[in-house]
Amino acid sequence: MSDSVLLVGGGGREHAIARALADTELYACASNRNPGIARIATDVETLDETDPAAVVEYAESVGVSLAVIGPEAALEAGVVDALEDVGVYAFGPRQADARIETDKTFQREFMDENDITGTPAFATFADPDSAAEYVESVEGHVAVKPRGLTGGKGVRVTGDQLSKPEAATYIRNSDYEEWVIEERLVGEEFTVQAFVANGDVRGTPAVQDHKRAYEGDEGPNTGGMGSYSDARFALPFMTDEEYDEALGIIQETVEALEDYRGILYGQFMLTAEGLKVVEFNARFGDPEAMNTLPVLETDFLDVLGAARDGEPLPELAFAAQATVCKYAVPAGYPTDPEDGAEVAVDEESVGDGLLFYASVDERDDGIYTTTSRSFAVVGVADSIDRAERIAEDGLSDVDEGFHVRHDIGTEELVQSRIDHMAELRGE
């Protein structure tokens, strides 16, 4: 009897996962109905993916044997633990292990206690006033992080996005109580996502995401406006040895996190002093999943089966192709996004690009925006430049109600990353 799989979540990341499991008997549940997932899955249920009882009830009703958890909020809510209690193997960390992402105080203290390579200097605070006073008094610039989940939009960096007094005001006026204040890291960021189970770590190609809303890395932070990967595992501004070092840091972390399973996503800053860990996430990145999964040649279901059965994970094979992902987001995103607008995507105009629906809701009378990112187009080619042109061409007919960062993956932007690292290295 072949396995059936439950996919939890309804965003672009989950559409990419669904596409990687397209030859599987797939069921899906999320708070929105993603039309891309609905076309692939045998059935889709609308429910609150952070309600473990509702997810378990649906899993049992359709008789799945495996599950993949997409969003971090579901991991924080204990969906993996609840599925495990009824005998469904879920590829994702249990609630306690997911704290490596969901609790930034735990993350940094865990890294410090276990001497994880690349841990930045940090301090933790249990109240906003203490955190704000520290930011105003400490030497050097800092990264200001709320302790819990913020959807990728809560971090502020002094000397870049705002001044120290502005950061202190942000802390005092926010709804967050507890904070982590870290040294500001200067360099180039990149992400390595790894499949983890039974002590094995299998790395995927490095990806560079673009958090800022507007061209030239201007504007507020977002959940990610797009990303690119190269036709090799490392990115153009880094060496193969630096990629290997990043994967080694993930391996260190897995060895310290007993019985961790699922995806461990390391976000790194390549600085003049070497690699530093910006953060860990306990699931695929969004948009980074849309870069890595389309070039994964190993059967994703084989990875899930090996993880569940306690076997060594298969060695992963990836096509030697570059990818560029560009998101279309509602006007005003992320500070004041317009929602409830009908999304009219001419899928024929996407051309050679791959279309991934994200935070939209399919209803009887059409597809509508939410307040988050709507859809993405991914170009896949033998070079970043060619992949960028495919993605850009695929978004050429996006209407005026959406915003796209057109510079992602362009030759000019990628070269600026190379030049920046050369400058930091003193080359």
Side-chain angles (χ1 to χ4, degrees), residues 158-278:
T158 69
D160 177 22
Q161 296 168 294
L162 72 183
S163 67
K164 285 187 176 182
E166 288 170 337
T169 299
Y170 165 64
I171 292 170
R172 291 189 174 102
N173 291 346
S174 77
D175 294 328
Y176 305 110
E177 290 293 323
E178 299 182 63
W179 297 82
V180 178
I181 312 299
E182 304 175 357
E183 63 172 310
R184 178 192 175 190
L185 303 176
V186 177
E188 286 297 330
E189 288 190 44
F190 67 92
T191 294
V192 175
Q193 301 164 105
F195 291 78
V196 179
N198 313 320
D200 290 335
V201 175
R202 301 287 186 259
T204 69
V207 180
Q208 186 171 59
D209 186 17
H210 299 72
K211 289 290 189 186
R212 303 293 278 272
Y214 309 127
E215 276 80 0
D217 295 322
E218 299 291 336
N221 272 352
T222 71
M225 292 296 297
S227 46
Y228 68 92
S229 65
D230 207 347
R232 63 189 184 108
F233 273 62
L235 290 164
F237 57 80
M238 58 190 288
T239 65
D240 293 337
E241 291 75 20
E242 286 163 342
Y243 173 89
D244 291 341
E245 184 182 351
L247 191 60
I249 292 172
I250 294 175
Q251 181 73 59
E252 281 182 48
T253 306
V254 169
E255 290 171 359
L257 277 170
E258 188 176 355
D259 296 328
Y260 188 93
R261 70 188 193 213
I263 299 297
L264 187 59
Y265 157 133
Q267 186 175 359
F268 302 93
M269 184 76 79
L270 184 55
T271 75
E273 293 77 37
L275 279 183
K276 296 282 189 175
V277 179
V278 176

Side-chain angles (χ1 to χ4, degrees), residues 8 49-50 52 68-81 90-99 101-102 149 260-263 281-284:
V8 178
E49 59 260 46
T50 65
V68 180
I69 314 302
E72 60 272 28
L75 298 173
E76 183 180 44
V79 167
V80 169
D81 309 64
F91 190 68
R94 300 172 184 89
Q95 187 179 45
D97 289 336
R99 289 185 300 160
E101 172 177 7
T102 62
L149 295 175
Y260 188 93
R261 70 188 193 213
I263 299 297
N281 288 335
R283 38 70 191 179
F284 280 116

